[in-house]
């Protein structure tokens, strides 16, 4: 172990030093991957020196998602205390299904979930769990909604024509999850959005009424706290009124933007969250923990037990259910994803987490201001988001992003809303500063000027 840790420390130190000078790894076309990087496996083992070289070649060829040039996805940067927590979780290697094998690590997870439930405004009947990603926590919300509608479904399977409602600009997991839950992709209603990308609540109610008239059973409304492209927030106050009127489970996919819960300045974006049935957030996005750290909390914890508990005498042998988290989890064996978040939260406090969230909005404002004041740019952005959507000199966004990527200049993606396609710059890396945002634009402009 000591030797392996020495190799690890050497590789990490070299990587961190190289990232300063080379924030992007050299682009390797997928067609050339196996020629440029030796990934072969052999019958006999290799020496430590050979292993270290193979690992360095692999690590240095891997995309660098924590640098000041990565703006491509809804995560980025490194919060060092969170990394510390994740490394400790790997060394400890506890599975989070029972208190017997995880001990105080169970308490770590429970404390995090309790704090989030309290921040939402729920009482002691609320609780939650962690899962491998936002798609899985959204699936858990849907399964609980399905079983709450008809408790026999988990025994007999889906016997009724159930329908699910989500905005046309929501995350693609809703359709997959409807298939996994036995409801069916064709029974997902993609509700139109308004000019700012939020779900049209009038259209939502019309779709519900039509389905009821046609003999369907509406069971689940999925609202989004920050859509993947524009970063738009659905109106939870209005949605909760509709959910209550028709007795439908209301879930919030806050995987991307739900962390505004920690900020008094931006919490208004999820006004009404206390009225929903379930709520998700990904701490590996706006809160900067390493992948993955996805949480779901539910207003009534009984739904977790009703949908996910199953007896197993070979597993649950000590302690009561509250400390045997496998009783409320989608999984059995589950790595400790809570510790990295707890170490970060413990070290910087709730106020520090708020500062992380607010820093990302500040960086977004800097980027939006630059775009809106520069005649070479066309702005498609919303205010109060960490997504800056623009086009530069009418260059097709796909072409621009691909050229930047293939030439190892910047990693940034593109997206579409209604008839427009544009570059989508995401400022979720709270370790960035104003100069890093401005350097993004200067790098883009200098590179594109060479292309013409």
């Amino acid at each position: 172990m000591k030797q392996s840790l020495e190799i690890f420390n050497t590789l990490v130190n070299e990587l961190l030093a190289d990232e300063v000078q080379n924030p992007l790894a050299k682009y390797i076309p997928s067609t050339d991957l196996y020629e440029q990087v030796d990934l072969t496996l052999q019958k006999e083992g290799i020496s430590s020196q050979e292993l270290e070289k193979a690992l360095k070649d692999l690590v240095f060829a891997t995309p660098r998602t924590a640098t000041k040039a990565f703006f491509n996805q809804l995560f980025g940067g490194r919060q060092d205390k969170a990394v510390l927590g994740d490394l400790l979780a790997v060394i400890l290697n506890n599975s989070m299904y029972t208190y017997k094998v995880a001990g105080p690590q169970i308490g770590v997870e429970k404390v995090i979930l309790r704090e989030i439930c309290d921040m939402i405004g729920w009482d002691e009947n609320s609780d939650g769990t962690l899962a491998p990603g936002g798609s899985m926590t959204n699936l858990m919300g849907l399964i609980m909604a399905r079983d709450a509608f008809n408790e026999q479904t988990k025994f007999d399977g889906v016997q009724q024509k159930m329908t699910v409602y989500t905005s046309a600009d929501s995350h693609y997991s809703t359709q997959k999850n409807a298939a996994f839950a036995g409801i069916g992709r064709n029974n997902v209603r993609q509700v139109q959005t308004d000019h700012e990308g939020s779900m049209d609540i009038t259209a939502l109610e019309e779709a519900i009424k039509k389905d009821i008239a046609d003999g369907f059973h509406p069971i689940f409304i999925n609202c989004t706290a920050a859509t993947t492209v524009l970063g738009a927030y659905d109106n939870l106050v209005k949605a909760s009124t509709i959910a209550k009127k028709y007795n439908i489970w209301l879930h919030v996919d806050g995987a991307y933007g739900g962390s505004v819960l920690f900020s008094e300045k931006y919490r208004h974006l999820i006004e009404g969250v206390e009225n929903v049935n379930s709520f998700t957030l990904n701490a590996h996005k706006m809160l900067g923990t390493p992948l993955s750290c996805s949480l779901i909390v539910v207003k009534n914890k009984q739904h977790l037990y009703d949908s996910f508990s199953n007896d197993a005498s070979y597993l649950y042998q000590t302690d009561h259910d509250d400390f045997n988290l496998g009783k409320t989890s989608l999984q059995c064996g589950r790595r400790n994803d809570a510790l990295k978040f707890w170490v970060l939260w413990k070290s910087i406090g709730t106020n520090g987490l708020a500062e992380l969230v607010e820093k990302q909005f500040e960086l977004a404002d800097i980027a939006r201001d630059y775009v809106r004041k520069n005649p070479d740019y066309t702005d498609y952005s919303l205010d109060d988001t960490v997504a800056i959507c623009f086009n530069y000199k009418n260059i097709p966004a796909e072409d621009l992003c691909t050229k930047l990527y293939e030439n190892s200049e910047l990693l940034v993606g593109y997206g579409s809303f209604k008839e427009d396609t544009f570059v989508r710059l995401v400022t979720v890396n709270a370790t960035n500063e104003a100069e890093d945002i401005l350097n993004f634009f200067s790098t883009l402009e200098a590179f594109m000027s060479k292309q013409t």
Side-chain angles (χ1 to χ4, degrees):
M1 180 60 75
K2 182 179 178 182
Q3 186 182 60
S4 294
L5 290 175
E6 288 173 353
I7 293 174
F8 175 81
N9 284 330
T10 298
L11 291 175
V12 169
N13 286 326
E14 291 182 11
L15 176 65
L16 294 176
D18 194 68
E19 283 182 348
V20 176
Q21 301 300 322
N22 302 293
L24 269 73
K26 182 181 177 182
Y27 167 67
I28 300 175
S30 58
T31 52
D32 300 341
L33 174 61
Y34 298 113
E35 295 177 6
Q36 294 195 28
V37 183
D38 182 7
L39 301 176
T40 58
L41 298 171
Q42 61 287 320
K43 284 188 176 181
E44 301 297 331
I46 58 177
S47 69
S48 295
Q49 291 77 18
E50 291 173 309
L51 177 62
E52 183 173 341
K53 182 185 182 304
L55 287 173
K56 182 174 180 178
D57 291 344
L58 176 60
V59 167
F60 273 60
T62 299
R64 300 178 174 184
T65 63
T67 70
K68 299 179 184 300
F70 182 81
F71 300 92
N72 197 71
Q73 250 75 44
L74 307 181
F75 65 94
R78 291 189 190 97
Q79 295 296 327
D80 62 291
K81 297 301 186 296
V83 172
L84 171 62
D86 207 15
L87 293 174
L88 289 171
V90 170
I91 292 295
L92 291 168
N93 201 35
N94 301 107
S95 189
M96 298 295 284
Y97 42 36
T98 69
Y99 186 78
K100 187 176 183 180
V101 298
Q105 299 300 326
I106 297 293
V108 165
E109 183 168 317
K110 287 175 67 64
V111 164
I112 288 172
L113 295 166
R114 182 70 264 147
E115 287 289 333
I116 290 175
C117 287
D118 289 346
M119 292 170 70
I120 290 174
W122 290 342
D123 62 23
E124 67 279 1
N125 290 317
S126 57
D127 201 356
T129 188
L130 277 75
S135 293
M136 290 296 99
T137 51
N138 288 335
L139 172 62
M140 293 184 77
L142 179 56
I143 290 173
M144 287 188 287
R146 183 200 67 184
D147 297 346
F149 174 75
N150 185 344
E151 62 182 12
Q152 284 300 119
T153 300
K154 63 190 176 206
F155 301 109
D156 301 330
V158 175
Q159 306 289 320
Q160 298 154 298
K161 297 191 298 182
M162 300 178 181
T163 48
V164 170
Y165 305 83
T166 191
S167 92
D169 296 300
S170 64
H171 192 257
Y172 75 108
S173 61
T174 302
Q175 285 75 18
K176 292 197 302 179
N177 290 342
F180 299 156
I183 294 167
R185 294 173 186 256
N186 290 340
N187 291 324
V188 176
R189 309 297 185 236
Q190 293 185 277
V191 181
Q192 70 188 48
T193 55
D194 62 22
H195 67 285
E196 291 192 337
S198 298
M199 188 191 298
D200 185 322
I201 301 300
T202 300
L204 169 65
E205 183 169 19
E206 289 174 353
I208 291 169
K209 289 194 292 187
K210 182 179 187 305
D211 280 332
I212 292 173
D214 291 342
F216 289 93
H217 301 278
I219 67 158
F220 184 79
I221 299 171
N222 177 67
C223 283
T224 306
T227 56
T228 308
V229 175
L230 283 184
Y233 285 76
D234 291 338
N235 189 316
L236 303 185
V237 174
K238 292 182 178 179
S240 63
T241 299
I242 299 298
K244 183 177 181 180
K245 180 177 179 179
Y246 295 96
N247 193 27
I248 303 173
W249 185 286
L250 180 58
H251 174 76
V252 177
D253 174 7
Y256 175 12
S259 295
V260 296
L261 177 71
F262 290 86
S263 168
E264 289 298 324
K265 185 175 181 180
Y266 292 101
R267 182 179 167 129
H268 68 274
L269 295 170
I270 54 170
E271 180 185 359
V273 66
E274 67 278 4
N275 298 317
V276 310
N277 297 99
S278 52
F279 173 81
T280 69
L281 67 83
N282 284 358
H284 63 255
K285 291 182 178 173
M286 295 185 79
L287 299 176
T289 72
L291 287 157
S292 64
C293 191
S294 300
L295 304 89
I296 179 169
V297 287
V298 60
K299 194 170 187 176
N300 183 349
K301 63 184 178 183
Q302 187 60 43
H303 293 292
L304 288 167
Y305 290 97
D306 290 346
S307 290
F308 306 112
S309 181
N310 208 64
D311 287 331
S313 60
Y314 56 81
L315 189 64
Y316 304 115
Q317 299 176 345
T318 63
D319 308 288
H320 54 83
D321 283 353
D322 277 354
F323 282 83
N324 288 327
L325 303 187
K327 291 288 187 86
T328 55
S329 174
L330 189 67
Q331 305 153 261
C332 180
R334 176 163 65 87
R335 80 182 303 272
N336 184 359
D337 286 327
L339 183 58
K340 55 195 166 189
F341 187 22
W342 182 87
V343 173
L344 176 64
W345 198 337
K346 183 77 170 178
S347 63
I348 67 175
T350 306
N351 291 340
L353 294 178
E355 290 172 6
L356 290 181
V357 171
E358 291 166 12
K359 175 73 172 294
Q360 293 161 56
F361 281 91
E362 291 170 11
L363 295 174
D365 287 341
I366 292 167
R368 256 189 304 272
D369 185 62
Y370 184 91
V371 167
R372 290 172 179 176
K373 289 181 177 179
N374 192 317
D376 288 334
Y377 291 82
T378 304
D379 176 48
Y380 299 94
S381 302
L382 305 176
D383 293 329
D384 279 353
T385 71
V386 297
I388 302 86
C389 303
F390 65 88
N391 277 326
Y392 176 67
K393 289 187 174 180
N394 295 318
I395 300 169
E398 182 176 357
D399 293 346
L400 187 149
C401 294
T402 301
K403 287 179 179 178
L404 289 170
Y405 165 53
E406 292 181 347
N407 287 274
S408 301
E409 294 285 339
L410 294 166
L411 273 179
V412 65
Y414 58 91
S416 299
F417 177 66
K418 299 190 185 301
E419 70 277 5
D420 297 312
T421 299
F422 38 73
V423 179
R424 183 198 61 168
L425 165 67
V426 185
T427 59
V428 295
N429 182 355
T431 65
N432 277 339
E433 301 295 341
E435 55 264 31
D436 299 312
I437 301 302
L438 297 177
N439 184 64
F440 168 89
F441 292 109
S442 62
T443 301
L444 183 156
E445 291 163 11
F447 174 74
M448 295 311 297
S449 68
K450 296 176 184 177
Q451 305 299 304
T452 57

